[in-house]
């Protein structure tokens, strides 16, 4: 039986991007063959790891991270271009990805970034895979920009949260996109093991402390609805609002054949402690959306 080949589009959305891992696993289980990947921000990272055969290794790593690991990975920037340098995290990613060039990948790959000076969307389709990913995930004011060929590049989600356009010329059977900004408010019950819950709680405390150390925590002098919400949270919600507005116009021009819509309220932009839940949710929603399409 002929396997359907797909162009896979992986959207931006911070920690919700872990859902891409579950979605990919479900797509493979359903018999789809991924022929190309286009990704923005976290989608570019997950797509790159899949393209070079390291996604399983990355999944094992994020699921075993504890709060002490996270503390060791945070390297505050000494410049005014971003709070976090990101070098320590990307040393780990480099150990997985290596120095592979995009041109040498077994499938077509595009990482979308934003040229902050020229205010243009940039498609990175050649050169070092690691550099392309680092540019695409450079969340404004959090991660420092990446300089490539004289251009200062930041997060691709700033201009294109779900980059379907790079796949238009692909000769695949279908285009399947995983959006992390869905408005679906259906309740999903993920059976989280007790050990994982404890790990998530500890990780959440660490992210809160990192926010404090960065001087980004809102004052707690007055009890308001914003108590205990740091600037990381506010910035994350701001990015979500911006991306939702952009996504509507982008989708009007480029619609995938199947849209796997991950609700934007299931996980905060910076809740990287929820890796297990988001991976499982990605599987559940991908299976649900594929079934709906086949039933039509």
């Amino acid at each position: 039986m002929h396997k359907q080949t797909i162009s896979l589009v992986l959207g931006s959305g911070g920690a919700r991007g872990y859902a891409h891992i579950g979605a990919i696993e479900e797509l493979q289980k359903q018999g789809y063959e991924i022929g190309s990947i286009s990704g923005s921000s976290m989608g570019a990272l997950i797509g790159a790891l899949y393209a070079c055969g390291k996604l399983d290794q990355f999944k094992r790593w994020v699921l075993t991270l504890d709060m002490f690991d996270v503390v060791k990975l945070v390297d505050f920037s000494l410049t005014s271009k971003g709070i976090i340098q990101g070098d320590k995290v990307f040393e780990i990613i480099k150990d997985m990805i290596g120095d592979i060039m995009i041109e040498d990948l077994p499938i077509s790959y595009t990482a979308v970034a934003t040229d902050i000076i020229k205010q243009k969307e940039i498609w990175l389709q050649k050169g070092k895979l690691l550099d392309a990913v680092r540019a695409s995930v450079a969340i404004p004011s959090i991660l420092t920009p990446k300089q490539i060929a004289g251009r200062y590049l930041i997060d691709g989600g700033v201009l294109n949260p779900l980059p379907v356009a790079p796949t238009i010329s692909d000769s695949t059977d279908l285009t399947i996109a995983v959006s992390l900004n869905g408005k679906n408010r259906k309740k999903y019950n993920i059976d989280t093991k007790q050990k994982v819950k404890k790990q998530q709680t500890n990780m959440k405390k660490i992210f809160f402390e990192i926010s404090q150390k960065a001087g980004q925590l809102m004052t707690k002098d007055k009890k308001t609805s914003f108590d205990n919400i740091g600037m990381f949270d506010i910035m994350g919600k701001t990015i979500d609002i911006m991306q939702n507005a952009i996504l509507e116009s982008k989708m009007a021009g480029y619609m995938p054949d199947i849209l796997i819509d991950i609700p934007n309220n299931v996980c905060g932009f910076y809740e990287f402690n929820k890796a297990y839940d988001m991976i499982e949710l990605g599987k559940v929603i991908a299976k649900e959306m594929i079934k709906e399409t086949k039933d039509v």
Side-chain angles (χ1 to χ4, degrees):
M1 183 180 174
H2 167 69
K3 268 190 175 184
Q4 280 193 306
T5 58
I6 63 171
S7 295
L8 183 60
V9 182
L10 302 177
S12 64
R16 291 191 297 277
Y18 285 134
H20 291 321
I21 299 174
I24 288 171
E25 289 178 352
E26 184 59 33
L27 287 169
Q28 290 178 307
K29 186 178 176 182
Q30 296 275 350
Y32 291 102
E33 182 179 327
I34 299 171
S36 81
I37 289 181
S38 173
S40 195
S41 197
M42 191 68 166
L45 170 61
I46 300 300
L49 289 159
Y50 172 80
C52 66
K54 300 298 182 180
L55 189 56
D56 286 342
Q57 183 181 345
F58 178 77
K59 177 185 174 182
R60 288 193 298 271
W61 177 61
V62 297
L63 289 178
T64 55
L65 278 174
D66 60 29
M67 56 183 178
F68 300 109
D69 294 323
V70 174
V71 170
K72 287 186 287 186
L73 287 172
V74 175
D75 50 352
F76 292 107
S77 172
L78 298 177
T79 75
S80 58
K81 295 182 177 70
I83 294 170
I84 297 170
Q85 190 68 33
D87 290 347
K88 290 184 179 179
V89 172
F90 268 83
E91 277 301 314
I92 305 291
I93 302 299
K94 183 179 180 180
D95 286 343
M96 296 181 197
I97 290 178
D99 287 323
I100 190 167
M101 305 294 280
I102 294 174
E103 304 94 304
D104 297 330
L105 292 172
I107 62 174
S108 174
Y109 173 85
T110 302
V112 175
T114 302
D115 185 325
I116 195 170
I117 305 299
K118 294 185 178 178
Q119 300 178 23
K120 289 172 57 178
E121 179 180 330
I122 303 295
W123 295 0
L124 298 166
Q125 298 173 315
K126 60 182 181 179
K128 282 192 177 182
L129 180 61
L130 189 72
D131 287 349
V133 171
R134 178 61 180 80
S136 188
V137 302
I139 303 167
S141 73
I142 300 297
L143 276 175
T144 54
K146 176 68 178 176
Q147 188 176 5
I148 298 179
R151 297 180 299 200
Y152 283 93
L153 303 180
I154 60 170
D155 197 305
V158 170
L159 288 180
N160 198 344
L162 193 65
V164 178
T167 69
I168 294 300
S169 62
D170 289 348
S171 56
T172 51
D173 297 317
L174 294 169
T175 297
I176 298 180
V178 185
S179 171
L180 305 178
N181 290 283
K183 293 183 172 64
N184 171 18
R185 293 298 178 256
K186 178 179 174 180
K187 295 291 184 183
Y188 293 93
N189 293 316
I190 302 299
D191 184 18
T192 310
K193 298 172 186 175
Q194 197 60 41
K195 181 182 177 182
V196 174
K197 284 182 180 177
K198 184 178 179 182
Q199 181 189 27
Q200 288 179 346
T201 301
N202 288 337
M203 291 268 280
K204 188 172 183 178
K205 289 176 183 176
I206 289 299
F207 286 125
F208 184 77
E209 287 172 14
I210 289 170
S211 181
Q212 284 183 311
K213 287 179 182 178
Q216 297 296 311
L217 191 67
M218 295 287 284
T219 180
K220 294 195 288 182
D221 293 337
K222 296 178 181 178
K223 295 295 178 183
T224 71
S225 59
F226 284 101
D227 277 357
N228 299 327
I229 296 181
M231 280 302 292
F232 280 179
D233 300 294
I234 293 171
M235 291 167 72
K237 290 180 188 301
T238 302
I239 292 170
D240 280 341
I241 292 167
M242 176 191 72
Q243 290 188 349
N244 284 338
I246 295 170
L247 192 57
E248 288 183 14
S249 63
K250 289 288 183 182
M251 293 292 282
Y254 301 101
M255 272 298 293
D257 297 294
I258 298 175
L259 179 64
I260 298 170
D261 231 358
I262 308 298
N264 62 8
N265 67 336
V266 293
C267 172
F269 200 89
Y270 296 113
E271 288 189 282
F272 288 97
N273 54 304
K274 291 189 175 180
Y276 177 87
D277 291 357
M278 293 310 302
I279 292 170
E280 293 303 308
L281 187 63
K283 292 179 189 175
V284 170
I285 297 179
K287 184 176 182 179
E288 181 180 275
M289 295 299 182
I290 293 166
K291 184 178 185 303
E292 280 184 15
T293 305
K294 288 180 177 178
D295 289 345
V296 172

